[in-house]
Amino acid sequence: MSAAAPEGYDPSAFEPFAVTVDLAVFTVRDTRLHVLLVERGEDPYRGHWALPGGFVLPRESAGAAARRELAEETGLTEETVPGLHLEQLRTYSDPDRDPRMRVVSVAYAALVPDLPEPRGGGDAAGARWWDTGGLGALAFDHDRIVGDARDRIGAKLEYTCLATSFCPPAFTLGELQQVYETVWGVELDRPNFRRKVLATPGFVRAAEGAPRRTGGRGKPAALYTAGDATALHPALLRPEGRNT
Amino acid sequence: MSAAAPEGYDPSAFEPFAVTVDLAVFTVRDTRLHVLLVERGEDPYRGHWALPGGFVLPRESAGAAARRELAEETGLTEETVPGLHLEQLRTYSDPDRDPRMRVVSVAYAALVPDLPEPRGGGDAAGARWWDTGGLGALAFDHDRIVGDARDRIGAKLEYTCLATSFCPPAFTLGELQQVYETVWGVELDRPNFRRKVLATPGFVRAAEGAPRRTGGRGKPAALYTAGDATALHPALLRPEGRNT
DNA sequence: CCAAAAGTGTTGACAATACACCCATGA
DNA sequence: TCATGGGTGTATTGTCAACACTTTTGG
């Protein structure tokens, strides 16, 4: 059979699918890209680290489930989460990706500023930030999801203003540049980076208030907040080299 | 609850989800972008047009299901289909997107050359190519899927060599340019387009054999075949204007 | 010979790079 | 006053859009 969408079907005639969301939550900490992982307490993959996630509830879209899980895992309130960047990555549906049953998982990528600590409310007790360089083997196909998410984020930094999602509400251009350099694994020319960002309308907006010292030494840097632009025209291209 | 992936679950404790694939199959015909639709014979949306698609089978990935459906709907053999470009778009999971039951659908976009006719094998009798300009209301949320697919394809033409997927095995640069102009809804400068394509290693390869007349009049154009490159560096940017 | 489509050459605007240089601060 | 990071100026390079022009075909 084929035809358009389910028709003439009997739900019980099909083996049930479980639908879950998996979250790849990234942050930039100490000039390294980190991803939030939780330690598994049960088999399979007991003791392995995995992406946070969970079931999509019967009356909930996958996007809503992702937001809900993100709030639970990061300990942020439901009010703060709407401001975070959350983006559907792709869906993983290999029949054997979970040895217990058929689980189709919709993966999301989230970009958050460097939060104090992943003080997980609920069951997310064993949650930790991990440097994406040199991750061990993760549970299920989560290695692949993390890799896909990294690729997507790196590409999106080129043609969107997404990088500000990694920054606190007020940030310096040096911090913003650090985001690019960390995700892409390259060094950028500061004067040119600065010009490019400021020349893009709506990328950043000068913030009120006094400048701030970043590294303790040096001239205090002016503060900026994220603008309302989403697209970046023309693109901010990364130099030749491949990423870390 | 949250925690990593399904754990301590009981399958029967959750309302079952059906998982389907929906296919947005595009082609360029007569300088217009067309999408393949099938007419629904049952409620809901009886008589409306919908994207081809169907259930993901118990032992099958969504990608495999999409390839299978594509072969059935286009009437192509399973040997031809592997060469076609098929790409996961995103997953649609609104709880009310199907009034009968909870259906999560993984949407795919496919790009095919202008096929003779959608001589659907199987139940795809009522299959037809529709001009994407001025589509009526489609079944379910398929309008939105078609719109998302168009956007994605337009964007991908900029930075990938995907456009050759719309062309027959041997094509002229004029035909390739026509693909861009049709999808983007703009006119491009021929000399510049030509230079750009030929300057990109692996985009197209000069084909053996005699040149061919495209429109009947004018100088016969040299033939090319698709190269093996996938990325397009630097990008082929579309002019300011929005698409059709 | 004219129209139409393929293909070539040239120029100028603009954007990105590379790098020299000045400013403000902590030690 | 030196090291460190923020910030400005400028020349060179390269790419892309615009458009004039030549070539090859059918009528």
Side-chain angles (χ1 to χ4, degrees), chain A residues 164-197:
Chain A
T164 52
S165 300
F166 277 121
C167 296
F171 53 88
T172 70
L173 293 186
E175 290 167 342
L176 186 62
Q177 181 175 349
Q178 189 62 244
V179 168
Y180 279 90
E181 294 183 332
T182 298
V183 175
W184 286 348
V186 297
E187 290 207 339
L188 300 177
D189 181 82
R190 185 156 33 80
N192 294 334
F193 177 81
R194 175 185 193 74
R195 249 189 301 276
K196 179 74 185 169
V197 171

PDB file of all heavy atoms in Angstrom, chain A residues 164-197:
ATOM      1  N   THR A 164      24.835  34.842  19.273  1.00  0.00           N
ATOM      2  CA  THR A 164      24.492  35.574  20.493  1.00  0.00           C
ATOM      3  C   THR A 164      23.753  34.685  21.491  1.00  0.00           C
ATOM      4  O   THR A 164      23.715  35.007  22.672  1.00  0.00           O
ATOM      5  CB  THR A 164      23.609  36.790  20.155  1.00  0.00           C
ATOM      6  OG1 THR A 164      22.497  36.367  19.370  1.00  0.00           O
ATOM      7  CG2 THR A 164      24.397  37.820  19.357  1.00  0.00           C
ATOM      8  N   SER A 165      23.165  33.579  21.017  1.00  0.00           N
ATOM      9  CA  SER A 165      22.473  32.673  21.935  1.00  0.00           C
ATOM     10  C   SER A 165      23.430  32.052  22.942  1.00  0.00           C
ATOM     11  O   SER A 165      23.017  31.583  23.996  1.00  0.00           O
ATOM     12  CB  SER A 165      21.783  31.555  21.150  1.00  0.00           C
ATOM     13  OG  SER A 165      20.843  32.083  20.252  1.00  0.00           O
ATOM     14  N   PHE A 166      24.705  31.997  22.607  1.00  0.00           N
ATOM     15  CA  PHE A 166      25.698  31.418  23.506  1.00  0.00           C
ATOM     16  C   PHE A 166      26.159  32.432  24.551  1.00  0.00           C
ATOM     17  O   PHE A 166      26.889  32.075  25.466  1.00  0.00           O
ATOM     18  CB  PHE A 166      26.931  30.962  22.717  1.00  0.00           C
ATOM     19  CG  PHE A 166      26.802  29.609  22.084  1.00  0.00           C
ATOM     20  CD1 PHE A 166      26.936  29.457  20.719  1.00  0.00           C
ATOM     21  CD2 PHE A 166      26.577  28.485  22.854  1.00  0.00           C
ATOM     22  CE1 PHE A 166      26.850  28.212  20.125  1.00  0.00           C
ATOM     23  CE2 PHE A 166      26.486  27.228  22.268  1.00  0.00           C
ATOM     24  CZ  PHE A 166      26.620  27.096  20.899  1.00  0.00           C
ATOM     25  N   CYS A 167      25.765  33.679  24.362  1.00  0.00           N
ATOM     26  CA  CYS A 167      26.294  34.741  25.217  1.00  0.00           C
ATOM     27  C   CYS A 167      25.283  35.140  26.278  1.00  0.00           C
ATOM     28  O   CYS A 167      24.079  34.982  26.094  1.00  0.00           O
ATOM     29  CB  CYS A 167      26.646  35.963  24.366  1.00  0.00           C
ATOM     30  SG  CYS A 167      27.960  35.671  23.192  1.00  0.00           S
ATOM     31  N   PRO A 168      25.774  35.673  27.412  1.00  0.00           N
ATOM     32  CA  PRO A 168      24.885  36.215  28.437  1.00  0.00           C
ATOM     33  C   PRO A 168      24.147  37.434  27.886  1.00  0.00           C
ATOM     34  O   PRO A 168      24.476  37.909  26.793  1.00  0.00           O
ATOM     35  CB  PRO A 168      25.833  36.589  29.566  1.00  0.00           C
ATOM     36  CG  PRO A 168      27.185  36.682  28.946  1.00  0.00           C
ATOM     37  CD  PRO A 168      27.178  35.760  27.784  1.00  0.00           C
ATOM     38  N   PRO A 169      23.159  37.938  28.614  1.00  0.00           N
ATOM     39  CA  PRO A 169      22.337  39.055  28.124  1.00  0.00           C
ATOM     40  C   PRO A 169      23.158  40.240  27.626  1.00  0.00           C
ATOM     41  O   PRO A 169      22.824  40.848  26.621  1.00  0.00           O
ATOM     42  CB  PRO A 169      21.508  39.438  29.350  1.00  0.00           C
ATOM     43  CG  PRO A 169      21.405  38.186  30.137  1.00  0.00           C
ATOM     44  CD  PRO A 169      22.687  37.442  29.911  1.00  0.00           C
ATOM     45  N   ALA A 170      24.218  40.579  28.342  1.00  0.00           N
ATOM     46  CA  ALA A 170      25.125  41.624  27.861  1.00  0.00           C
ATOM     47  C   ALA A 170      26.496  40.988  27.684  1.00  0.00           C
ATOM     48  O   ALA A 170      26.966  40.246  28.543  1.00  0.00           O
ATOM     49  CB  ALA A 170      25.188  42.778  28.844  1.00  0.00           C
ATOM     50  N   PHE A 171      27.129  41.278  26.570  1.00  0.00           N
ATOM     51  CA  PHE A 171      28.397  40.619  26.265  1.00  0.00           C
ATOM     52  C   PHE A 171      29.304  41.572  25.506  1.00  0.00           C
ATOM     53  O   PHE A 171      28.844  42.583  24.968  1.00  0.00           O
ATOM     54  CB  PHE A 171      28.153  39.355  25.443  1.00  0.00           C
ATOM     55  CG  PHE A 171      27.313  39.608  24.216  1.00  0.00           C
ATOM     56  CD1 PHE A 171      27.905  39.981  23.010  1.00  0.00           C
ATOM     57  CD2 PHE A 171      25.927  39.490  24.261  1.00  0.00           C
ATOM     58  CE1 PHE A 171      27.134  40.236  21.881  1.00  0.00           C
ATOM     59  CE2 PHE A 171      25.143  39.747  23.126  1.00  0.00           C
ATOM     60  CZ  PHE A 171      25.753  40.117  21.943  1.00  0.00           C
ATOM     61  N   THR A 172      30.572  41.234  25.454  1.00  0.00           N
ATOM     62  CA  THR A 172      31.527  42.038  24.695  1.00  0.00           C
ATOM     63  C   THR A 172      31.741  41.391  23.327  1.00  0.00           C
ATOM     64  O   THR A 172      31.447  40.208  23.128  1.00  0.00           O
ATOM     65  CB  THR A 172      32.871  42.115  25.421  1.00  0.00           C
ATOM     66  OG1 THR A 172      33.487  40.826  25.359  1.00  0.00           O
ATOM     67  CG2 THR A 172      32.697  42.508  26.869  1.00  0.00           C
ATOM     68  N   LEU A 173      32.263  42.169  22.411  1.00  0.00           N
ATOM     69  CA  LEU A 173      32.537  41.602  21.091  1.00  0.00           C
ATOM     70  C   LEU A 173      33.623  40.533  21.180  1.00  0.00           C
ATOM     71  O   LEU A 173      33.642  39.594  20.384  1.00  0.00           O
ATOM     72  CB  LEU A 173      32.956  42.710  20.126  1.00  0.00           C
ATOM     73  CG  LEU A 173      31.854  43.706  19.788  1.00  0.00           C
ATOM     74  CD1 LEU A 173      32.329  44.673  18.721  1.00  0.00           C
ATOM     75  CD2 LEU A 173      30.602  42.986  19.330  1.00  0.00           C
ATOM     76  N   GLY A 174      34.500  40.673  22.146  1.00  0.00           N
ATOM     77  CA  GLY A 174      35.512  39.633  22.348  1.00  0.00           C
ATOM     78  C   GLY A 174      34.876  38.311  22.723  1.00  0.00           C
ATOM     79  O   GLY A 174      35.278  37.252  22.234  1.00  0.00           O
ATOM     80  N   GLU A 175      33.858  38.367  23.567  1.00  0.00           N
ATOM     81  CA  GLU A 175      33.167  37.129  23.954  1.00  0.00           C
ATOM     82  C   GLU A 175      32.441  36.526  22.759  1.00  0.00           C
ATOM     83  O   GLU A 175      32.432  35.300  22.572  1.00  0.00           O
ATOM     84  CB  GLU A 175      32.184  37.418  25.090  1.00  0.00           C
ATOM     85  CG  GLU A 175      32.873  37.753  26.413  1.00  0.00           C
ATOM     86  CD  GLU A 175      31.926  38.346  27.461  1.00  0.00           C
ATOM     87  OE1 GLU A 175      30.836  38.824  27.092  1.00  0.00           O
ATOM     88  OE2 GLU A 175      32.291  38.353  28.641  1.00  0.00           O
ATOM     89  N   LEU A 176      31.835  37.388  21.968  1.00  0.00           N
ATOM     90  CA  LEU A 176      31.127  36.890  20.787  1.00  0.00           C
ATOM     91  C   LEU A 176      32.100  36.232  19.812  1.00  0.00           C
ATOM     92  O   LEU A 176      31.833  35.161  19.253  1.00  0.00           O
ATOM     93  CB  LEU A 176      30.391  38.039  20.095  1.00  0.00           C
ATOM     94  CG  LEU A 176      29.495  37.662  18.925  1.00  0.00           C
ATOM     95  CD1 LEU A 176      28.366  36.747  19.368  1.00  0.00           C
ATOM     96  CD2 LEU A 176      28.925  38.904  18.246  1.00  0.00           C
ATOM     97  N   GLN A 177      33.245  36.869  19.655  1.00  0.00           N
ATOM     98  CA  GLN A 177      34.254  36.293  18.765  1.00  0.00           C
ATOM     99  C   GLN A 177      34.732  34.949  19.299  1.00  0.00           C
ATOM    100  O   GLN A 177      34.970  34.011  18.541  1.00  0.00           O
ATOM    101  CB  GLN A 177      35.433  37.254  18.633  1.00  0.00           C
ATOM    102  CG  GLN A 177      36.521  36.733  17.703  1.00  0.00           C
ATOM    103  CD  GLN A 177      37.615  37.758  17.485  1.00  0.00           C
ATOM    104  OE1 GLN A 177      37.483  38.922  17.852  1.00  0.00           O
ATOM    105  NE2 GLN A 177      38.702  37.322  16.875  1.00  0.00           N
ATOM    106  N   GLN A 178      34.820  34.873  20.625  1.00  0.00           N
ATOM    107  CA  GLN A 178      35.256  33.620  21.242  1.00  0.00           C
ATOM    108  C   GLN A 178      34.301  32.473  20.887  1.00  0.00           C
ATOM    109  O   GLN A 178      34.719  31.334  20.699  1.00  0.00           O
ATOM    110  CB  GLN A 178      35.304  33.821  22.767  1.00  0.00           C
ATOM    111  CG  GLN A 178      35.935  32.685  23.529  1.00  0.00           C
ATOM    112  CD  GLN A 178      37.379  32.487  23.133  1.00  0.00           C
ATOM    113  OE1 GLN A 178      37.727  31.453  22.598  1.00  0.00           O
ATOM    114  NE2 GLN A 178      38.213  33.491  23.358  1.00  0.00           N
ATOM    115  N   VAL A 179      33.021  32.781  20.781  1.00  0.00           N
ATOM    116  CA  VAL A 179      32.033  31.774  20.394  1.00  0.00           C
ATOM    117  C   VAL A 179      32.372  31.215  19.015  1.00  0.00           C
ATOM    118  O   VAL A 179      32.450  30.001  18.820  1.00  0.00           O
ATOM    119  CB  VAL A 179      30.613  32.370  20.391  1.00  0.00           C
ATOM    120  CG1 VAL A 179      29.640  31.416  19.717  1.00  0.00           C
ATOM    121  CG2 VAL A 179      30.169  32.683  21.806  1.00  0.00           C
ATOM    122  N   TYR A 180      32.596  32.102  18.078  1.00  0.00           N
ATOM    123  CA  TYR A 180      32.924  31.656  16.728  1.00  0.00           C
ATOM    124  C   TYR A 180      34.204  30.830  16.720  1.00  0.00           C
ATOM    125  O   TYR A 180      34.283  29.771  16.098  1.00  0.00           O
ATOM    126  CB  TYR A 180      33.080  32.854  15.790  1.00  0.00           C
ATOM    127  CG  TYR A 180      31.762  33.389  15.283  1.00  0.00           C
ATOM    128  CD1 TYR A 180      31.082  34.374  15.984  1.00  0.00           C
ATOM    129  CD2 TYR A 180      31.199  32.904  14.116  1.00  0.00           C
ATOM    130  CE1 TYR A 180      29.876  34.869  15.523  1.00  0.00           C
ATOM    131  CE2 TYR A 180      29.993  33.388  13.651  1.00  0.00           C
ATOM    132  CZ  TYR A 180      29.332  34.375  14.364  1.00  0.00           C
ATOM    133  OH  TYR A 180      28.119  34.853  13.905  1.00  0.00           O
ATOM    134  N   GLU A 181      35.195  31.323  17.406  1.00  0.00           N
ATOM    135  CA  GLU A 181      36.485  30.637  17.382  1.00  0.00           C
ATOM    136  C   GLU A 181      36.389  29.261  18.026  1.00  0.00           C
ATOM    137  O   GLU A 181      37.026  28.302  17.588  1.00  0.00           O
ATOM    138  CB  GLU A 181      37.540  31.494  18.083  1.00  0.00           C
ATOM    139  CG  GLU A 181      37.822  32.787  17.338  1.00  0.00           C
ATOM    140  CD  GLU A 181      38.917  33.625  17.953  1.00  0.00           C
ATOM    141  OE1 GLU A 181      39.120  33.527  19.187  1.00  0.00           O
ATOM    142  OE2 GLU A 181      39.572  34.376  17.214  1.00  0.00           O
ATOM    143  N   THR A 182      35.564  29.161  19.054  1.00  0.00           N
ATOM    144  CA  THR A 182      35.424  27.888  19.749  1.00  0.00           C
ATOM    145  C   THR A 182      34.664  26.885  18.888  1.00  0.00           C
ATOM    146  O   THR A 182      35.083  25.733  18.745  1.00  0.00           O
ATOM    147  CB  THR A 182      34.688  28.095  21.076  1.00  0.00           C
ATOM    148  OG1 THR A 182      35.457  28.969  21.905  1.00  0.00           O
ATOM    149  CG2 THR A 182      34.469  26.778  21.781  1.00  0.00           C
ATOM    150  N   VAL A 183      33.562  27.312  18.327  1.00  0.00           N
ATOM    151  CA  VAL A 183      32.736  26.383  17.559  1.00  0.00           C
ATOM    152  C   VAL A 183      33.458  25.967  16.280  1.00  0.00           C
ATOM    153  O   VAL A 183      33.423  24.806  15.880  1.00  0.00           O
ATOM    154  CB  VAL A 183      31.371  27.009  17.232  1.00  0.00           C
ATOM    155  CG1 VAL A 183      30.566  26.097  16.321  1.00  0.00           C
ATOM    156  CG2 VAL A 183      30.601  27.287  18.513  1.00  0.00           C
ATOM    157  N   TRP A 184      34.120  26.906  15.638  1.00  0.00           N
ATOM    158  CA  TRP A 184      34.775  26.600  14.378  1.00  0.00           C
ATOM    159  C   TRP A 184      36.177  26.050  14.564  1.00  0.00           C
ATOM    160  O   TRP A 184      36.747  25.459  13.639  1.00  0.00           O
ATOM    161  CB  TRP A 184      34.848  27.864  13.508  1.00  0.00           C
ATOM    162  CG  TRP A 184      33.524  28.238  12.921  1.00  0.00           C
ATOM    163  CD1 TRP A 184      32.393  27.482  12.896  1.00  0.00           C
ATOM    164  CD2 TRP A 184      33.197  29.477  12.263  1.00  0.00           C
ATOM    165  NE1 TRP A 184      31.385  28.175  12.268  1.00  0.00           N
ATOM    166  CE2 TRP A 184      31.849  29.395  11.863  1.00  0.00           C
ATOM    167  CE3 TRP A 184      33.923  30.630  11.967  1.00  0.00           C
ATOM    168  CZ2 TRP A 184      31.202  30.425  11.192  1.00  0.00           C
ATOM    169  CZ3 TRP A 184      33.278  31.666  11.300  1.00  0.00           C
ATOM    170  CH2 TRP A 184      31.928  31.562  10.920  1.00  0.00           C
ATOM    171  N   GLY A 185      36.754  26.282  15.749  1.00  0.00           N
ATOM    172  CA  GLY A 185      38.114  25.796  15.968  1.00  0.00           C
ATOM    173  C   GLY A 185      39.141  26.542  15.135  1.00  0.00           C
ATOM    174  O   GLY A 185      40.117  25.955  14.674  1.00  0.00           O
ATOM    175  N   VAL A 186      38.908  27.827  14.921  1.00  0.00           N
ATOM    176  CA  VAL A 186      39.865  28.636  14.156  1.00  0.00           C
ATOM    177  C   VAL A 186      40.085  29.948  14.900  1.00  0.00           C
ATOM    178  O   VAL A 186      39.366  30.260  15.837  1.00  0.00           O
ATOM    179  CB  VAL A 186      39.339  28.950  12.746  1.00  0.00           C
ATOM    180  CG1 VAL A 186      39.157  27.693  11.936  1.00  0.00           C
ATOM    181  CG2 VAL A 186      38.041  29.729  12.838  1.00  0.00           C
ATOM    182  N   GLU A 187      41.079  30.716  14.460  1.00  0.00           N
ATOM    183  CA  GLU A 187      41.265  32.053  15.003  1.00  0.00           C
ATOM    184  C   GLU A 187      40.801  33.071  13.980  1.00  0.00           C
ATOM    185  O   GLU A 187      41.062  32.922  12.792  1.00  0.00           O
ATOM    186  CB  GLU A 187      42.741  32.291  15.348  1.00  0.00           C
ATOM    187  CG  GLU A 187      43.209  31.489  16.540  1.00  0.00           C
ATOM    188  CD  GLU A 187      44.367  32.191  17.259  1.00  0.00           C
ATOM    189  OE1 GLU A 187      45.028  33.035  16.615  1.00  0.00           O
ATOM    190  OE2 GLU A 187      44.581  31.904  18.442  1.00  0.00           O
ATOM    191  N   LEU A 188      40.125  34.101  14.453  1.00  0.00           N
ATOM    192  CA  LEU A 188      39.642  35.148  13.565  1.00  0.00           C
ATOM    193  C   LEU A 188      40.398  36.436  13.844  1.00  0.00           C
ATOM    194  O   LEU A 188      40.899  36.652  14.946  1.00  0.00           O
ATOM    195  CB  LEU A 188      38.139  35.365  13.785  1.00  0.00           C
ATOM    196  CG  LEU A 188      37.258  34.146  13.531  1.00  0.00           C
ATOM    197  CD1 LEU A 188      35.808  34.457  13.853  1.00  0.00           C
ATOM    198  CD2 LEU A 188      37.389  33.672  12.085  1.00  0.00           C
ATOM    199  N   ASP A 189      40.436  37.277  12.829  1.00  0.00           N
ATOM    200  CA  ASP A 189      41.088  38.575  12.973  1.00  0.00           C
ATOM    201  C   ASP A 189      40.133  39.521  13.705  1.00  0.00           C
ATOM    202  O   ASP A 189      39.025  39.769  13.235  1.00  0.00           O
ATOM    203  CB  ASP A 189      41.440  39.119  11.589  1.00  0.00           C
ATOM    204  CG  ASP A 189      42.149  40.449  11.662  1.00  0.00           C
ATOM    205  OD1 ASP A 189      43.364  40.441  11.891  1.00  0.00           O
ATOM    206  OD2 ASP A 189      41.459  41.489  11.529  1.00  0.00           O
ATOM    207  N   ARG A 190      40.580  40.047  14.837  1.00  0.00           N
ATOM    208  CA  ARG A 190      39.671  40.846  15.661  1.00  0.00           C
ATOM    209  C   ARG A 190      39.138  42.089  14.962  1.00  0.00           C
ATOM    210  O   ARG A 190      37.921  42.310  14.949  1.00  0.00           O
ATOM    211  CB  ARG A 190      40.335  41.206  16.991  1.00  0.00           C
ATOM    212  CG  ARG A 190      39.402  41.934  17.954  1.00  0.00           C
ATOM    213  CD  ARG A 190      39.807  41.776  19.390  1.00  0.00           C
ATOM    214  NE  ARG A 190      41.236  41.689  19.527  1.00  0.00           N
ATOM    215  CZ  ARG A 190      42.071  42.738  19.511  1.00  0.00           C
ATOM    216  NH1 ARG A 190      41.595  43.941  19.350  1.00  0.00           N
ATOM    217  NH2 ARG A 190      43.360  42.560  19.649  1.00  0.00           N
ATOM    218  N   PRO A 191      39.982  42.903  14.378  1.00  0.00           N
ATOM    219  CA  PRO A 191      39.441  44.098  13.702  1.00  0.00           C
ATOM    220  C   PRO A 191      38.406  43.758  12.637  1.00  0.00           C
ATOM    221  O   PRO A 191      37.357  44.398  12.555  1.00  0.00           O
ATOM    222  CB  PRO A 191      40.694  44.722  13.081  1.00  0.00           C
ATOM    223  CG  PRO A 191      41.811  44.265  13.944  1.00  0.00           C
ATOM    224  CD  PRO A 191      41.452  42.887  14.378  1.00  0.00           C
ATOM    225  N   ASN A 192      38.653  42.750  11.849  1.00  0.00           N
ATOM    226  CA  ASN A 192      37.722  42.410  10.785  1.00  0.00           C
ATOM    227  C   ASN A 192      36.423  41.839  11.336  1.00  0.00           C
ATOM    228  O   ASN A 192      35.337  42.139  10.833  1.00  0.00           O
ATOM    229  CB  ASN A 192      38.363  41.403   9.833  1.00  0.00           C
ATOM    230  CG  ASN A 192      39.543  42.010   9.097  1.00  0.00           C
ATOM    231  OD1 ASN A 192      39.595  43.226   8.920  1.00  0.00           O
ATOM    232  ND2 ASN A 192      40.475  41.177   8.695  1.00  0.00           N
ATOM    233  N   PHE A 193      36.557  41.025  12.387  1.00  0.00           N
ATOM    234  CA  PHE A 193      35.363  40.455  13.005  1.00  0.00           C
ATOM    235  C   PHE A 193      34.465  41.566  13.526  1.00  0.00           C
ATOM    236  O   PHE A 193      33.263  41.598  13.285  1.00  0.00           O
ATOM    237  CB  PHE A 193      35.759  39.527  14.144  1.00  0.00           C
ATOM    238  CG  PHE A 193      34.590  38.950  14.880  1.00  0.00           C
ATOM    239  CD1 PHE A 193      33.910  37.856  14.374  1.00  0.00           C
ATOM    240  CD2 PHE A 193      34.157  39.510  16.072  1.00  0.00           C
ATOM    241  CE1 PHE A 193      32.820  37.329  15.047  1.00  0.00           C
ATOM    242  CE2 PHE A 193      33.061  38.989  16.748  1.00  0.00           C
ATOM    243  CZ  PHE A 193      32.394  37.896  16.236  1.00  0.00           C
ATOM    244  N   ARG A 194      35.110  42.497  14.224  1.00  0.00           N
ATOM    245  CA  ARG A 194      34.395  43.631  14.788  1.00  0.00           C
ATOM    246  C   ARG A 194      33.629  44.401  13.716  1.00  0.00           C
ATOM    247  O   ARG A 194      32.436  44.669  13.854  1.00  0.00           O
ATOM    248  CB  ARG A 194      35.441  44.531  15.421  1.00  0.00           C
ATOM    249  CG  ARG A 194      34.930  45.807  15.948  1.00  0.00           C
ATOM    250  CD  ARG A 194      36.069  46.678  16.443  1.00  0.00           C
ATOM    251  NE  ARG A 194      35.502  47.751  17.215  1.00  0.00           N
ATOM    252  CZ  ARG A 194      35.006  47.581  18.420  1.00  0.00           C
ATOM    253  NH1 ARG A 194      35.062  46.387  18.993  1.00  0.00           N
ATOM    254  NH2 ARG A 194      34.459  48.584  19.058  1.00  0.00           N
ATOM    255  N   ARG A 195      34.324  44.731  12.645  1.00  0.00           N
ATOM    256  CA  ARG A 195      33.693  45.482  11.557  1.00  0.00           C
ATOM    257  C   ARG A 195      32.496  44.727  11.008  1.00  0.00           C
ATOM    258  O   ARG A 195      31.425  45.282  10.810  1.00  0.00           O
ATOM    259  CB  ARG A 195      34.703  45.716  10.439  1.00  0.00           C
ATOM    260  CG  ARG A 195      35.127  47.143  10.267  1.00  0.00           C
ATOM    261  CD  ARG A 195      35.934  47.311   9.019  1.00  0.00           C
ATOM    262  NE  ARG A 195      37.140  46.477   9.024  1.00  0.00           N
ATOM    263  CZ  ARG A 195      38.271  46.856   9.608  1.00  0.00           C
ATOM    264  NH1 ARG A 195      38.349  48.010  10.204  1.00  0.00           N
ATOM    265  NH2 ARG A 195      39.322  46.055   9.590  1.00  0.00           N
ATOM    266  N   LYS A 196      32.714  43.461  10.767  1.00  0.00           N
ATOM    267  CA  LYS A 196      31.656  42.639  10.182  1.00  0.00           C
ATOM    268  C   LYS A 196      30.404  42.630  11.052  1.00  0.00           C
ATOM    269  O   LYS A 196      29.283  42.812  10.559  1.00  0.00           O
ATOM    270  CB  LYS A 196      32.190  41.215  10.017  1.00  0.00           C
ATOM    271  CG  LYS A 196      31.209  40.243   9.442  1.00  0.00           C
ATOM    272  CD  LYS A 196      31.019  40.478   7.972  1.00  0.00           C
ATOM    273  CE  LYS A 196      29.936  39.570   7.419  1.00  0.00           C
ATOM    274  NZ  LYS A 196      29.560  39.972   6.060  1.00  0.00           N
ATOM    275  N   VAL A 197      30.586  42.418  12.331  1.00  0.00           N
ATOM    276  CA  VAL A 197      29.440  42.339  13.233  1.00  0.00           C
ATOM    277  C   VAL A 197      28.719  43.685  13.297  1.00  0.00           C
ATOM    278  O   VAL A 197      27.494  43.767  13.180  1.00  0.00           O
ATOM    279  CB  VAL A 197      29.892  41.901  14.639  1.00  0.00           C
ATOM    280  CG1 VAL A 197      28.753  42.038  15.636  1.00  0.00           C
ATOM    281  CG2 VAL A 197      30.398  40.471  14.604  1.00  0.00           C
TER     282      VAL A 197
END
